[in-house]
Coordinates of all heavy atoms in Angstrom, one line a residue:
M1 N 14.0 29.2 -1.9 CA 13.0 28.6 -1.1 C 12.5 29.6 -0.1 O 13.3 30.3 0.6 CB 13.6 27.4 -0.4 CG 12.7 26.8 0.6 SD 12.9 25.1 1.1 CE 13.3 24.3 -0.3
R2 N 11.2 29.6 0.1 CA 10.5 30.5 1.0 C 10.4 29.8 2.4 O 9.9 28.7 2.5 CB 9.2 30.9 0.5 CG 8.5 31.9 1.3 CD 7.1 32.3 0.7 NE 7.3 33.0 -0.6 CZ 6.7 34.2 -0.8 NH1 6.0 34.8 0.1 NH2 6.9 34.8 -2.0
V3 N 10.9 30.5 3.4 CA 10.9 29.9 4.8 C 9.7 30.5 5.5 O 9.6 31.7 5.6 CB 12.2 30.2 5.5 CG1 12.2 29.7 6.9 CG2 13.4 29.6 4.8
I4 N 9.0 29.6 6.1 CA 7.8 30.0 6.9 C 8.1 29.5 8.3 O 8.4 28.4 8.5 CB 6.5 29.3 6.4 CG1 6.3 29.5 4.9 CG2 5.3 29.7 7.2 CD1 6.1 30.9 4.5
K5 N 8.0 30.4 9.3 CA 8.1 30.0 10.7 C 6.8 29.8 11.3 O 5.9 30.6 11.2 CB 8.9 31.2 11.4 CG 10.3 31.3 11.0 CD 11.0 32.4 11.8 CE 12.5 32.5 11.5 NZ 13.2 33.5 12.3
K6 N 6.7 28.7 12.0 CA 5.5 28.4 12.8 C 5.7 28.6 14.2 O 6.6 28.1 14.8 CB 5.0 26.9 12.5 CG 3.7 26.6 13.1 CD 3.3 25.2 12.8 CE 1.9 25.0 13.4 NZ 1.5 23.6 13.2
Y7 N 4.8 29.4 14.8 CA 4.9 29.8 16.2 C 4.0 28.9 17.0 O 3.1 28.3 16.5 CB 4.6 31.2 16.4 CG 5.7 32.1 15.9 CD1 5.7 32.6 14.6 CD2 6.8 32.5 16.7 CE1 6.7 33.4 14.1 CE2 7.8 33.3 16.2 CZ 7.8 33.7 14.9 OH 8.8 34.5 14.4
S8 N 4.3 28.8 18.4 CA 3.5 28.0 19.2 C 2.0 28.3 19.3 O 1.2 27.4 19.6 CB 4.1 28.0 20.7 OG 4.1 29.3 21.2
N9 N 1.7 29.5 18.9 CA 0.3 29.9 18.9 C -0.4 29.5 17.6 O -1.4 30.0 17.2 CB 0.1 31.4 19.2 CG 0.8 32.3 18.1 OD1 1.4 31.8 17.2 ND2 0.7 33.6 18.3
R10 N 0.3 28.7 16.8 CA -0.1 28.2 15.5 C -0.1 29.2 14.3 O -0.5 28.9 13.3 CB -1.5 27.6 15.6 CG -1.6 26.4 16.5 CD -3.0 25.8 16.5 NE -3.0 24.7 17.4 CZ -4.1 24.0 17.6 NH1 -5.1 24.1 16.8 NH2 -4.1 23.0 18.5
R11 N 0.5 30.4 14.6 CA 0.6 31.4 13.5 C 1.8 31.1 12.6 O 2.8 30.5 13.1 CB 0.8 32.7 14.1 CG -0.5 33.1 14.9 CD -0.6 34.6 15.2 NE -0.8 35.4 14.0 CZ -0.9 36.7 14.0 NH1 -0.7 37.3 15.1 NH2 -1.1 37.3 12.9
L12 N 1.6 31.4 11.4 CA 2.7 31.2 10.4 C 3.2 32.5 9.9 O 2.4 33.4 9.6 CB 2.1 30.4 9.2 CG 1.5 29.0 9.4 CD1 0.8 28.5 8.2 CD2 2.6 28.0 9.9
Y13 N 4.5 32.6 9.9 CA 5.2 33.9 9.5 C 6.0 33.7 8.3 O 6.9 32.9 8.3 CB 6.0 34.4 10.7 CG 6.6 35.7 10.4 CD1 5.9 36.9 10.6 CD2 7.9 35.8 10.0 CE1 6.4 38.2 10.3 CE2 8.5 37.1 9.8 CZ 7.8 38.2 9.9 OH 8.3 39.5 9.7
D14 N 5.7 34.4 7.3 CA 6.4 34.3 6.0 C 7.6 35.2 6.1 O 7.5 36.5 6.1 CB 5.5 34.7 4.8 CG 6.1 34.6 3.5 OD1 7.4 34.5 3.4 OD2 5.4 34.7 2.5
T15 N 8.8 34.7 6.2 CA 10.0 35.5 6.3 C 10.3 36.3 5.1 O 11.0 37.3 5.2 CB 11.2 34.6 6.7 OG1 11.5 33.7 5.7 CG2 11.0 33.9 8.1
N16 N 9.9 35.9 3.9 CA 10.2 36.6 2.7 C 9.3 37.9 2.6 O 9.8 38.9 2.2 CB 9.9 35.8 1.5 CG 11.0 34.7 1.3 OD1 11.6 34.2 2.2 ND2 11.3 34.3 0.0
A17 N 8.0 37.7 3.0 CA 7.1 38.8 2.9 C 7.0 39.6 4.2 O 6.4 40.7 4.2 CB 5.7 38.3 2.5
S18 N 7.7 39.1 5.2 CA 7.7 39.8 6.5 C 6.2 40.0 7.0 O 5.9 41.1 7.4 CB 8.4 41.1 6.5 OG 9.8 40.9 6.2
G19 N 5.5 38.9 7.0 CA 4.1 39.0 7.5 C 3.5 37.7 7.8 O 4.0 36.6 7.4
Y20 N 2.4 37.7 8.6 CA 1.8 36.5 8.9 C 0.9 36.0 7.8 O 0.3 36.8 7.1 CB 0.9 36.7 10.2 CG 1.8 36.8 11.4 CD1 2.1 38.1 12.0 CD2 2.4 35.7 12.1 CE1 2.9 38.2 13.1 CE2 3.2 35.8 13.2 CZ 3.4 37.1 13.7 OH 4.3 37.2 14.8
I21 N 0.8 34.7 7.7 CA -0.1 34.1 6.6 C -0.9 33.0 7.3 O -0.6 32.6 8.4 CB 0.7 33.5 5.4 CG1 1.6 32.4 5.9 CG2 1.5 34.6 4.7 CD1 2.3 31.6 4.8
N22 N -2.0 32.5 6.6 CA -2.7 31.4 7.1 C -2.5 30.2 6.1 O -1.8 30.3 5.2 CB -4.2 31.8 7.2 CG -4.8 32.3 5.9 OD1 -4.5 31.8 4.8 ND2 -5.7 33.3 6.0
L23 N -3.2 29.1 6.4 CA -3.1 27.9 5.6 C -3.5 28.2 4.2 O -2.9 27.6 3.2 CB -3.8 26.8 6.2 CG -3.2 26.2 7.5 CD1 -4.1 25.1 8.1 CD2 -1.8 25.7 7.3
E24 N -4.5 29.0 4.0 CA -5.0 29.2 2.6 C -3.9 30.0 1.8 O -3.7 29.7 0.7 CB -6.3 30.0 2.7 CG -7.5 29.2 3.2 CD -8.7 30.1 3.3 OE1 -8.7 31.3 3.0 OE2 -9.7 29.6 3.8
D25 N -3.3 30.9 2.5 CA -2.2 31.7 1.8 C -1.1 30.8 1.5 O -0.5 30.9 0.4 CB -1.7 32.8 2.7 CG -2.7 33.8 3.1 OD1 -3.6 34.1 2.3 OD2 -2.6 34.4 4.2
L26 N -0.7 29.8 2.4 CA 0.3 28.9 2.1 C 0.0 28.0 0.9 O 0.8 27.7 0.1 CB 0.6 28.0 3.4 CG 1.7 27.1 3.3 CD1 3.1 27.8 3.0 CD2 1.8 26.3 4.6
A27 N -1.3 27.6 0.8 CA -1.7 26.8 -0.3 C -1.6 27.6 -1.6 O -1.1 27.0 -2.6 CB -3.2 26.4 -0.1
V28 N -1.9 28.8 -1.6 CA -1.8 29.7 -2.8 C -0.3 29.8 -3.2 O 0.0 29.7 -4.4 CB -2.4 31.1 -2.6 CG1 -2.0 32.0 -3.7 CG2 -3.9 31.0 -2.4
L29 N 0.6 29.9 -2.3 CA 2.0 30.0 -2.6 C 2.5 28.7 -3.3 O 3.2 28.7 -4.3 CB 2.8 30.2 -1.3 CG 2.8 31.6 -0.7 CD1 3.5 31.5 0.7 CD2 3.3 32.6 -1.6
V30 N 2.1 27.5 -2.7 CA 2.5 26.3 -3.3 C 1.9 26.1 -4.7 O 2.6 25.6 -5.6 CB 2.1 25.1 -2.3 CG1 2.4 23.8 -3.0 CG2 2.9 25.2 -1.0
Q31 N 0.6 26.4 -4.8 CA 0.0 26.3 -6.1 C 0.6 27.2 -7.2 O 0.6 26.8 -8.4 CB -1.5 26.7 -6.0 CG -2.3 25.6 -5.2 CD -3.7 26.1 -4.9 OE1 -4.0 27.3 -5.0 NE2 -4.5 25.2 -4.4
A32 N 1.2 28.3 -6.7 CA 1.9 29.2 -7.6 C 3.3 28.7 -8.0 O 4.0 29.4 -8.7 CB 2.0 30.6 -7.0
G33 N 3.7 27.6 -7.4 CA 5.0 27.0 -7.7 C 6.1 27.3 -6.7 O 7.3 26.9 -6.9
E34 N 5.8 28.0 -5.7 CA 6.8 28.3 -4.6 C 7.2 27.0 -3.9 O 6.4 26.2 -3.5 CB 6.2 29.3 -3.6 CG 6.1 30.7 -4.0 CD 7.4 31.5 -3.9 OE1 8.4 31.0 -3.2 OE2 7.5 32.5 -4.5
E35 N 8.5 26.9 -3.6 CA 9.0 25.9 -2.7 C 9.0 26.5 -1.3 O 9.6 27.6 -1.1 CB 10.4 25.4 -3.1 CG 10.4 24.7 -4.4 CD 9.8 23.3 -4.4 OE1 9.9 22.6 -3.3 OE2 9.2 22.9 -5.4
V36 N 8.4 25.8 -0.4 CA 8.3 26.4 1.0 C 9.0 25.4 2.0 O 8.9 24.2 1.7 CB 6.9 26.7 1.4 CG1 6.3 27.7 0.5 CG2 6.0 25.4 1.5
Q37 N 9.5 25.9 3.0 CA 10.0 25.1 4.1 C 9.4 25.7 5.4 O 9.5 27.0 5.6 CB 11.5 25.1 4.2 CG 12.0 24.3 5.4 CD 13.5 24.4 5.6 OE1 14.1 25.3 5.1 NE2 14.0 23.4 6.2
V38 N 8.7 24.9 6.2 CA 8.1 25.4 7.4 C 8.9 24.9 8.6 O 9.2 23.7 8.7 CB 6.6 24.9 7.5 CG1 6.0 25.5 8.8 CG2 5.8 25.3 6.3
V39 N 9.4 25.8 9.4 CA 10.2 25.5 10.6 C 9.6 26.0 11.8 O 8.9 27.0 11.8 CB 11.6 26.0 10.4 CG1 12.3 25.4 9.2 CG2 11.6 27.5 10.3
D40 N 9.8 25.3 12.9 CA 9.4 25.7 14.2 C 10.2 27.0 14.6 O 11.4 26.9 14.5 CB 9.6 24.6 15.2 CG 9.1 25.0 16.6 OD1 9.8 25.8 17.3 OD2 8.0 24.5 17.0
A41 N 9.5 28.0 15.0 CA 10.2 29.3 15.2 C 11.2 29.2 16.4 O 12.2 29.9 16.5 CB 9.2 30.4 15.5
R42 N 10.9 28.3 17.4 CA 11.7 28.2 18.5 C 12.9 27.2 18.4 O 14.0 27.5 18.7 CB 10.9 27.8 19.8 CG 11.6 27.8 21.1 CD 10.7 27.5 22.3 NE 9.8 26.4 22.1 CZ 10.1 25.1 22.3 NH1 11.3 24.8 22.7 NH2 9.3 24.1 22.1
T43 N 12.6 26.0 17.8 CA 13.6 25.0 17.7 C 14.2 24.8 16.3 O 15.2 24.0 16.2 CB 12.9 23.6 18.1 OG1 11.9 23.3 17.1 CG2 12.3 23.7 19.5
A44 N 13.6 25.4 15.3 CA 14.1 25.3 13.9 C 13.8 23.9 13.4 O 14.3 23.5 12.3 CB 15.5 25.7 13.8
E45 N 13.0 23.1 14.1 CA 12.6 21.8 13.6 C 11.8 21.9 12.3 O 11.0 22.8 12.1 CB 11.8 21.0 14.6 CG 11.3 19.7 14.2 CD 10.3 19.1 15.2 OE1 10.0 19.7 16.2 OE2 9.8 18.0 14.9
D46 N 12.1 21.0 11.3 CA 11.4 21.1 10.0 C 10.0 20.5 10.2 O 9.8 19.4 10.5 CB 12.2 20.3 9.0 CG 11.6 20.5 7.6 OD1 10.5 21.1 7.4 OD2 12.2 19.9 6.6
L47 N 9.0 21.4 9.9 CA 7.6 21.0 10.1 C 6.9 21.0 8.7 O 5.6 20.9 8.7 CB 6.8 22.0 11.0 CG 7.4 22.2 12.4 CD1 6.7 23.3 13.1 CD2 7.3 20.8 13.2
T48 N 7.6 21.1 7.7 CA 7.0 21.2 6.3 C 6.0 20.1 6.0 O 4.9 20.4 5.6 CB 8.1 21.2 5.3 OG1 9.1 22.2 5.6 CG2 7.6 21.5 3.9
R49 N 6.4 18.9 6.2 CA 5.5 17.7 5.9 C 4.2 17.8 6.6 O 3.1 17.7 6.0 CB 6.2 16.4 6.2 CG 5.4 15.2 5.7 CD 6.2 13.9 6.1 NE 7.6 14.0 5.9 CZ 8.2 13.5 4.9 NH1 7.5 12.9 3.9 NH2 9.5 13.6 4.7
S50 N 4.2 18.0 7.9 CA 3.0 18.0 8.7 C 2.1 19.2 8.3 O 0.9 19.1 8.3 CB 3.3 18.0 10.2 OG 4.0 19.1 10.6
V51 N 2.7 20.4 8.1 CA 1.9 21.5 7.7 C 1.3 21.4 6.3 O 0.1 21.7 6.1 CB 2.7 22.8 7.8 CG1 2.0 24.0 7.3 CG2 3.1 23.1 9.3
L52 N 2.0 20.8 5.4 CA 1.5 20.6 4.0 C 0.4 19.6 4.1 O -0.6 19.7 3.3 CB 2.6 20.2 3.1 CG 3.6 21.3 2.7 CD1 4.6 20.8 1.7 CD2 2.9 22.5 2.2
V53 N 0.5 18.5 4.9 CA -0.6 17.6 5.1 C -1.9 18.3 5.6 O -3.0 18.1 5.2 CB -0.2 16.4 6.0 CG1 -1.4 15.6 6.4 CG2 0.8 15.5 5.2
Q54 N -1.6 19.2 6.6 CA -2.7 20.0 7.2 C -3.4 20.8 6.1 O -4.6 21.0 6.1 CB -2.2 20.8 8.3 CG -3.3 21.6 9.0 CD -2.7 22.4 10.2 OE1 -1.5 22.4 10.4 NE2 -3.6 23.1 10.9
V55 N -2.6 21.4 5.2 CA -3.1 22.2 4.1 C -4.1 21.3 3.2 O -5.2 21.7 2.8 CB -2.0 22.8 3.2 CG1 -2.6 23.4 1.9 CG2 -1.3 23.9 4.0
I56 N -3.6 20.1 2.9 CA -4.4 19.2 2.0 C -5.7 18.9 2.8 O -6.8 18.9 2.1 CB -3.6 18.0 1.7 CG1 -2.4 18.3 0.8 CG2 -4.5 16.9 1.1 CD1 -1.4 17.2 0.6
L57 N -5.6 18.5 4.0 CA -6.8 18.1 4.7 C -7.8 19.3 5.0 O -9.0 19.0 5.1 CB -6.4 17.4 6.1 CG -5.7 16.1 5.9 CD1 -5.3 15.6 7.3 CD2 -6.5 15.1 5.1
D58 N -7.3 20.5 5.1 CA -8.1 21.6 5.3 C -8.8 22.1 4.1 O -9.8 22.9 4.1 CB -7.4 22.8 6.0 CG -7.1 22.5 7.5 OD1 -7.7 21.5 8.0 OD2 -6.4 23.3 8.1
A59 N -8.3 21.7 2.9 CA -8.8 22.2 1.6 C -10.2 21.6 1.5 O -10.5 20.5 2.0 CB -8.0 21.7 0.5
R60 N -11.1 22.3 0.8 CA -12.5 21.8 0.6 C -12.5 20.4 0.0 O -11.9 20.2 -1.1 CB -13.2 22.8 -0.3 CG -14.7 22.4 -0.4 CD -15.5 23.3 -1.3 NE -15.0 24.7 -1.2 CZ -15.6 25.6 -1.9 NH1 -16.6 25.4 -2.7 NH2 -15.1 26.9 -1.8
G61 N -13.1 19.5 0.7 CA -13.1 18.1 0.2 C -11.8 17.3 0.5 O -11.8 16.1 0.2
G62 N -10.8 18.0 1.0 CA -9.6 17.3 1.3 C -9.7 16.1 2.3 O -9.0 15.1 2.2
V63 N -10.6 16.3 3.2 CA -10.8 15.3 4.3 C -11.2 14.0 3.6 O -10.9 12.9 4.1 CB -11.7 15.8 5.3 CG1 -12.1 14.7 6.3 CG2 -11.2 17.0 6.0
D64 N -12.0 14.1 2.6 CA -12.6 12.9 1.9 C -11.5 12.2 1.1 O -11.8 11.1 0.6 CB -13.7 13.3 1.0 CG -14.9 13.9 1.8 OD1 -15.0 13.5 3.0 OD2 -15.6 14.7 1.3
L65 N -10.3 12.8 0.9 CA -9.3 12.1 0.1 C -8.8 10.8 0.8 O -8.4 9.9 0.2 CB -8.1 13.0 -0.1 CG -8.3 14.2 -1.1 CD1 -7.1 15.1 -1.0 CD2 -8.5 13.6 -2.5
L66 N -8.8 10.9 2.1 CA -8.3 9.8 2.9 C -9.4 9.1 3.7 O -9.9 9.6 4.7 CB -7.2 10.3 3.9 CG -6.0 11.0 3.2 CD1 -5.1 11.6 4.3 CD2 -5.2 10.0 2.4
P67 N -9.8 7.9 3.3 CA -10.9 7.2 4.0 C -10.4 6.8 5.4 O -9.2 6.7 5.7 CB -11.1 5.9 3.2 CG -10.3 6.0 1.9 CD -9.3 7.2 2.1
V68 N -11.4 6.7 6.3 CA -11.1 6.4 7.7 C -10.3 5.2 7.9 O -9.4 5.1 8.7 CB -12.5 6.4 8.5 CG1 -12.2 5.9 9.9 CG2 -13.2 7.7 8.5
G69 N -10.6 4.1 7.1 CA -9.9 2.9 7.2 C -8.4 3.1 6.9 O -7.5 2.5 7.6
L70 N -8.1 3.8 5.9 CA -6.7 4.1 5.6 C -6.0 4.9 6.7 O -4.9 4.6 7.0 CB -6.6 4.9 4.2 CG -5.2 5.3 3.8 CD1 -4.3 4.1 3.6 CD2 -5.3 6.2 2.6
L71 N -6.7 5.9 7.3 CA -6.1 6.6 8.4 C -5.8 5.7 9.5 O -4.7 5.9 10.2 CB -7.1 7.7 8.8 CG -7.3 8.8 7.8 CD1 -8.4 9.8 8.2 CD2 -6.0 9.6 7.5
H72 N -6.7 4.8 9.9 CA -6.4 3.8 10.9 C -5.1 3.0 10.6 O -4.3 2.8 11.5 CB -7.6 2.9 11.1 CG -8.7 3.4 11.9 ND1 -9.9 3.8 11.4 CD2 -8.8 3.8 13.2 CE1 -10.7 4.3 12.3 NE2 -10.0 4.3 13.5
R73 N -5.0 2.5 9.4 CA -3.9 1.7 9.0 C -2.6 2.6 9.1 O -1.6 2.1 9.5 CB -4.1 1.1 7.6 CG -5.1 0.0 7.6 CD -5.1 -0.8 6.3 NE -5.4 0.1 5.1 CZ -6.7 0.3 4.7 NH1 -7.7 -0.3 5.3 NH2 -6.9 1.0 3.6
I74 N -2.6 3.8 8.6 CA -1.5 4.7 8.7 C -1.0 4.9 10.1 O 0.2 4.8 10.5 CB -1.7 6.0 8.0 CG1 -1.9 5.8 6.5 CG2 -0.6 7.0 8.3 CD1 -2.4 7.1 5.8
I75 N -2.0 5.1 11.0 CA -1.6 5.4 12.4 C -1.1 4.1 13.1 O -0.1 4.2 13.8 CB -2.9 5.9 13.2 CG1 -3.2 7.3 12.7 CG2 -2.6 5.9 14.7 CD1 -4.5 7.9 13.2
R76 N -1.6 3.0 12.7 CA -1.1 1.7 13.3 C 0.3 1.4 12.8 O 1.0 0.8 13.5 CB -2.1 0.6 12.9 CG -3.4 0.6 13.7 CD -4.3 -0.5 13.4 NE -5.6 -0.3 14.0 CZ -6.7 -0.4 13.4 NH1 -6.8 -0.7 12.1 NH2 -7.8 -0.2 14.1
Y77 N 0.6 1.8 11.6 CA 1.9 1.5 11.0 C 2.9 2.3 11.7 O 3.9 1.9 12.1 CB 1.9 1.9 9.5 CG 3.2 1.7 8.9 CD1 3.7 0.4 8.6 CD2 4.0 2.7 8.5 CE1 4.9 0.2 8.0 CE2 5.2 2.5 7.9 CZ 5.6 1.3 7.6 OH 6.8 1.0 7.0

């Protein structure tokens, strides 16, 4: 599993490659079959789910996957 550290300045650091990556790079890793875990660099809190959702929403057309009404229902839930 590839560990990605997320810093407070929103930068992502790939511990395997010893370098910073962006959301597009992270998407490429996942598309290539890599299992990733994103953790807060300071607290070690698991941020994988929220970062992967951000990857989906940032992808071209990804925002259209979730209609506004559904987003409202999710937030209310």
Side-chain angles (χ1 to χ4, degrees):
M1 174 157 317
R2 188 177 289 235
V3 176
I4 309 294
K5 291 185 178 182
K6 183 174 183 187
Y7 288 89
S8 59
N9 62 2
R10 298 184 183 185
R11 293 195 72 184
L12 300 172
Y13 184 80
D14 182 345
T15 59
N16 288 31
S18 299
Y20 289 99
I21 63 172
N22 57 35
L23 290 176
E24 291 174 5
D25 299 328
L26 185 59
V28 169
L29 289 173
V30 173
Q31 289 168 347
E34 284 278 348
E35 292 290 324
V36 299
Q37 179 183 23
V38 182
V39 296
D40 185 284
R42 186 176 47 85
T43 65
E45 177 186 0
D46 188 355
L47 304 174
T48 306
R49 185 182 319 260
S50 63
V51 172
L52 291 179
V53 167
Q54 186 178 0
V55 168
I56 291 168
L57 294 178
D58 284 355
R60 188 182 321 182
V63 174
D64 296 331
L65 288 173
L66 301 171
V68 173
L70 176 60
L71 293 172
H72 280 110
R73 287 192 297 274
I74 291 171
I75 291 169
R76 286 182 187 129
Y77 179 70

